[in-house]
Amino acid sequence: MQIKTAKFVVSNQLVSKCPTNQLPEYAFIGRSNVGKSSLINMLTNQKSLAKTSGRPGKTQLINHFIINDNWFLVDLPGYGYARVSKSAKKTFQKFITAYFRDRKQLVSAFVLVDIRHKPLPVDLAFMQWLGEHNVPFSIVFTKADKLRPKAIEDHIDTYKTILLESWEAFPNYFITSSTNYAGKEALLEYIDTINSDLDSSASE
Ligand code: GDP
């Protein structure tokens, strides 16, 4: 899929204030500094559509972007950072979980993890929560340019071993780099295929 247009629509904390039309949407989430803004900008061919954050936890909002006028890319706040006060943390957890529970238009989430790190409890707990709430998701490994191919393989194997202790199957995953564009085509094709399937089932 070629992204021809990517436009900011609205930011807010309430699912009830999210766009009301029925376009399919895909949500991007991960720990702060995982490379989410860079990935969104890379996918959409923009320099600063998503704001790369100097200060973790700055933007605790649900951000909707409309892509090619036919689907929404949703940029969710990073989770699991230390610098947010306890009450702020509570609020964003609540609205993030409300978003995943209540947003009917959500087709799939992309959970971003830094490929250099071992699976972190906060990421595993979040994936577990998505699974328990029947939210489909893929894992997006970021910053793949920082590792050699063999190390990438090893790190993914570690993830597989750990996740398969409690999951029946390893989720769909992408290996990406915002620096060298790795994974861009695969991820966009994945979204495009789902959108086409949704289109054809809607017209049946
Ligand atoms: P966010 O907080 O998850 O939105 O993360 P950012 O996109 O702001 O990125 C955090 C830091 O990681 C920045 O210094 C980026 O330049 C760097 N970064 C993000 N993606 C990549 C990548 O694919 N490769 C490399 N080498 N660095 C990256």
Side-chain angles (χ1 to χ4, degrees), residues 27-45:
F28 289 73
I29 189 162
R31 286 191 330 122
S32 182
N33 230 29
V34 70
K36 179 167 53 72
S37 313
S38 306
L39 182 86
I40 292 173
N41 291 334
M42 183 269 270
L43 291 173
T44 55
N45 313 315

Side-chain angles (χ1 to χ4, degrees), residues 32-38 52-53 143 145-146 177-179:
S32 182
N33 230 29
V34 70
K36 179 167 53 72
S37 313
S38 306
T52 43
S53 53
K143 309 189 189 182
D145 58 284
K146 299 238 189 189
S177 161
S178 303
T179 309

